[in-house]
Amino acid sequence: PNSVTYVCALGACGDLRAVNKGQELYMRIVKEGYDGDSIMGNSLVDMYARCGYLAEAEYGFYKLPEQDIISYSALIAGYAELGLCKEALNSLRRMRSDGIIPDEITFVSILKACGIRRNICRGKETHAKIVKEGFLQNDILVATALMDMYCKCGELTGAREVFDGFPLRDVVMWTALIAGYVENKHVKEAFDGFNRIECESLCANAFTLSCTLKACGNIRAIDTGKRIHMRVIE
């Protein structure tokens, strides 16, 4: 195997959260002299961060000869996964001070951390930065992450404003909105959203249907629940 093989294998370990296998691969990488490669270093940071081994991810990060957008984004995503909002935002500040411009993936991770911690103040600050840097104009991934953050913080008005202001809405955005309504016990609005999906001829996915079924259970709407059950079967 060459360095590209190992990079791909480390990515697979991150996907599976197989940190033991990743460490085993790292020993082989060192033995074969690939550990000085910056791409390999970024892959190790990413693997450890996705497995939740942040001390190891940080060690690998600071060991890199030079940090870039990929290594910073991997570390920030690791912090976000555990809801470490403060650490994620500190990394964003260091990133900027190093002259590295964050991209949409970086901002999605920051928003995730804010949502997990219910940190609406930091979430709104991040929203302002996203607007300023032009990431909200046509990036559906960023828009959905913003909506999810507002919903988790109980700020449904903010989520709806992001949704209404986006030019092209797909089933993922609709589902994020419906999930937010259900989570905050706005059941009527959740049903309205589901009906709008059907009216716009969008195909509800499994998560859309499960959220709507939860709404049916919350208000004991058995007839609507049976109708959605038929949709699940279809």
Side-chain angles (χ1 to χ4, degrees):
N2 60 21
S3 61
V4 177
T5 319
Y6 283 121
V7 165
C8 294
L10 286 170
C13 291
D15 288 340
L16 294 170
R17 310 295 190 265
V19 71
N20 291 334
K21 189 65 179 175
Q23 289 173 327
E24 181 188 319
L25 283 172
Y26 178 56
M27 297 303 294
R28 292 181 63 179
I29 288 163
V30 172
K31 184 179 177 181
E32 296 182 27
Y34 291 125
D35 56 317
D37 186 290
S38 62
I39 297 173
M40 188 70 71
N42 285 341
S43 299
L44 279 163
V45 172
D46 180 65
M47 185 275 293
Y48 278 124
R50 284 199 282 161
C51 291
Y53 281 66
L54 291 179
E56 289 80 357
E58 287 171 345
Y59 176 78
F61 176 84
Y62 289 113
K63 193 180 172 186
L64 288 167
E66 187 178 19
Q67 288 85 23
D68 59 15
I69 181 71
I70 296 169
S71 50
Y72 265 110
S73 292
L75 190 61
I76 289 170
Y79 288 137
E81 202 64 38
L82 296 176
L84 300 173
C85 189
K86 182 180 176 183
E87 289 82 350
L89 288 163
N90 285 341
S91 291
L92 180 63
R93 279 190 284 271
R94 285 200 306 271
M95 185 179 181
R96 289 183 181 279
S97 68
D98 285 348
I100 300 169
I101 306 299
D103 62 9
E104 60 273 21
I105 302 301
T106 317
F107 281 120
V108 165
S109 295
I110 296 289
L111 289 168
K112 183 173 184 178
C114 293
I116 290 171
R117 285 295 178 190
R118 310 288 194 270
N119 194 333
I120 189 62
C121 294
R122 295 295 187 190
K124 286 181 176 179
E125 284 176 20
T126 306
H127 186 177
K129 288 173 186 173
I130 287 168
V131 172
K132 184 179 177 182
E133 299 191 21
F135 285 119
L136 194 55
Q137 293 170 0
N138 52 16
D139 195 306
I140 203 160
L141 191 66
V142 173
T144 304
L146 262 172
M147 288 170 57
D148 185 61
M149 181 276 295
Y150 277 118
C151 289
K152 281 186 168 61
C153 293
E155 293 269 349
L156 294 177
T157 303
R160 187 74 208 204
E161 284 174 0
V162 173
F163 181 84
D164 289 338
F166 202 77
L168 187 64
R169 297 183 286 270
D170 66 359
V171 69
V172 177
M173 285 192 76
W174 271 111
T175 301
L177 189 64
I178 290 168
Y181 282 139
V182 173
E183 199 64 33
N184 289 278
K185 305 196 185 319
H186 289 239
V187 178
K188 180 183 180 299
E189 289 85 348
F191 285 140
D192 288 344
F194 183 74
N195 290 332
R196 285 284 303 278
I197 287 178
E198 293 190 317
C199 289
E200 294 184 16
S201 301
L202 294 170
C203 186
N205 59 30
F207 190 56
T208 320
L209 294 168
S210 66
C211 287
T212 313
L213 284 169
K214 185 177 180 180
C216 293
N218 286 347
I219 62 167
R220 294 174 172 74
I222 188 64
D223 291 336
T224 305
K226 285 179 176 179
R227 179 167 64 87
I228 293 170
H229 185 180
M230 292 305 297
R231 286 288 305 278
V232 171
I233 293 168
E234 286 169 12

